Amino acid sequence: MVKGEVTLRNRRQGSPAWLTDAAIYQIYPRSFQDSDGDGIGDLEGVRQRLPYVRSLGFDGIWLSPIYPSPLADGGYDISDHSAVDPVLGTLESFDALLAEARANKLKVLLDLVPSHTSIEHAWFRDHPEWYVWADGGPPNNWLSAFGGPAWSKDEPSGRWYLHSFYREQPDLNWRHPEVQEAVGQVMAFWLARGVDGFRVDAVDRLAKDPSLRDDHPATGPWLLPLPPEYATLSHVHSRDADDVDELVGVLRRRAGDAALIGEVYRPTEELERFVNHFDLVFAFEFMFASWHPEAIARVVEPAVRLGQIAWVLSNHDFSRLASRLGEDNLRLAATLLLTLPGAAFVFQGDELGLRDGPGVHPPFDRAGRDGSRHPMQWDATPTGGFSSARPWLPLVDPEHRNVETAEEDPSSLLTLYRSLLSLRRCFGTGFEVLLVDSTVLAYRRGQHVVTLNFGDEPRQAVGEGAVVLNTDPGQHFRIAPARGAAVLYAESSRSSCLR
Ligand code: GLC
């Protein structure tokens, strides 16, 4: 257990102060708001909805890829890094979005995908030497994360190229100085337009073993979930070579002091080497911890000690929170996510308790992730206020769950998100675990004490003081309801920074 109060540290001098405890809203642009009636969300739609994001209390947005893409991997297969996909808009609509974000005091993070491109990117034709090649067949047993070998034959040249993900996504060779230069120019392009930083995709794939040695058979289950075939190997050589820190340093030099948040899909104990250059890294072990207070405490404490953590419980790659944890746990999950010390990321629709959708046949994503990418539900109409046309993925249940209804309901999950986003501004960075037992996790945040009750019976809230938040809207006593939480404020009056 963390003994005594711990204060988050960020060891990178120049790390943006706003980011330390920022709340960031992840937008999957194709599924947020369609403005031009083609059934696909776009940047103008995002622009129109930014006041909503701000009104919830977020400090910024992270936009999943907005660039031209043949969509083999939902936009993570980029064919031009310095443009906007025409389906989503233009550079002008991006600038308008940015201006609206500024007007709403929202920071903007783009997705930077440095480790691979689309096979349709001009670089693959014009600069084949920027990619990773082998002659005469696959040189090793490396696997693609999405199934099958990580090597495919390039028919025109007869050579084999490496792809850590789909075969439509050849891996860049990050040890090639021109690759570093080209990606650096991409960053400079967007930073000059005014973005505040990047969520950096698949960082653990930047550097692989230069001598391309085989991966070993896995010796047991890994700490994070992996697709079954991929889990048969221990990825010691196909990921995170020794010089990965150096290569992330290149990204940092190119970024200056802009925010860089690393998607490093590793357990917390392996994140240390990444935080020299990233401002934050996502807490994936936290995302997948068993829903039990002792298990949560075990993953929270090392992450707090690491310091530069971005808490996250859901994104566009995994089953949605409501489907993973069940609706009964959503208030507890929101309170946990938004009261821990440090930055927190919320995936669009989680404030509504949006569940996984059924996807479509044939699927857009061959790895089965369409379910978590269904459109936002703004109102109760059949297309949920998302589009005037047939949405590219169907809505899930707008008649039961939508922003319009939730906004009017003081007991809705959305109202709880709003309260938590307001309350977290009062906390500061200090953190001290006070109690962990088989049903309760309680911690101090500055003058506040948060009691999270994972059990089926109500529990007394830990600490003294006035109740400033209870996940059961009717409950004003010092009781943490079953699968809920209470937050007490240690002074006799209410905290002045609460709205
Ligand atoms: C990241 C993205 C995921 C994508 C993969 C390859 O994990 O979040 O959506 O498929 O990288 O780019």
Side-chain angles (χ1 to χ4, degrees), residues 73 76 116 146 165 169 199 201 263 316-317 369 373:
D73 184 14
Y76 286 86
H116 49 267
F146 298 140
F165 297 95
Q169 293 167 289
R199 172 265 190 192
D201 185 79
E263 188 217 14
H316 62 292
D317 286 330
R369 294 167 296 177
R373 300 171 181 182

Side-chain angles (χ1 to χ4, degrees), residues 139-198:
N140 59 29
N141 68 347
W142 295 357
L143 292 172
S144 145
F146 298 140
W151 297 90
S152 287
K153 191 173 184 183
D154 172 52
E155 290 302 338
S157 66
R159 304 185 73 205
W160 293 71
Y161 63 91
L162 178 65
H163 53 89
S164 293
F165 297 95
Y166 290 121
R167 63 175 178 276
E168 295 91 336
Q169 293 167 289
D171 281 25
L172 286 162
N173 173 9
W174 256 80
R175 297 191 184 95
H176 197 304
E178 287 172 18
V179 169
Q180 302 177 6
E181 178 61 30
V183 175
Q185 281 177 17
V186 168
M187 295 170 89
F189 175 86
W190 292 106
L191 289 170
R193 280 202 116 77
V195 307
D196 299 284
F198 303 94

Side-chain angles (χ1 to χ4, degrees), residues 396-478:
V396 182
D397 54 359
E399 65 288 8
H400 295 306
R401 241 175 285 270
N402 63 73
V403 171
E404 201 173 272
T405 313
E407 290 268 24
E408 285 161 13
D409 176 2
S411 66
S412 68
L413 183 63
L414 183 147
T415 302
L416 175 66
Y417 268 83
R418 185 169 275 138
S419 304
L420 286 164
L421 286 160
S422 168
L423 181 62
R424 65 186 266 116
R425 295 184 189 278
C426 307
F427 286 157
T429 52
F431 175 74
E432 181 182 7
V433 174
L434 300 177
L435 174 71
V436 190
D437 66 24
S438 58
T439 50
V440 160
L441 168 61
Y443 41 83
R444 183 188 306 286
R445 296 296 325 277
Q447 296 287 87
H448 295 77
V449 175
V450 179
T451 303
L452 303 163
N453 180 5
F454 292 71
D456 294 324
E457 300 296 330
R459 286 278 302 264
Q460 189 70 32
V462 174
E464 296 293 322
V467 180
V468 292
L469 184 136
N470 196 302
T471 53
D472 174 351
Q475 178 68 264
H476 295 295
F477 304 108
R478 292 194 193 96

Side-chain angles (χ1 to χ4, degrees), residues 19 26 60 94-95 100 102 114 143 208 220 238 263 267 273 282-283 317 384 407 455 457 483:
L19 189 60
Q26 182 194 350
F94 178 76
D95 290 343
E100 184 73 34
R102 292 282 167 269
L143 292 172
K208 298 112 199 168
S238 56
E263 188 217 14
R273 61 198 294 213
F282 285 110
D317 286 330
E407 290 268 24
E457 300 296 330
R483 310 215 164 252

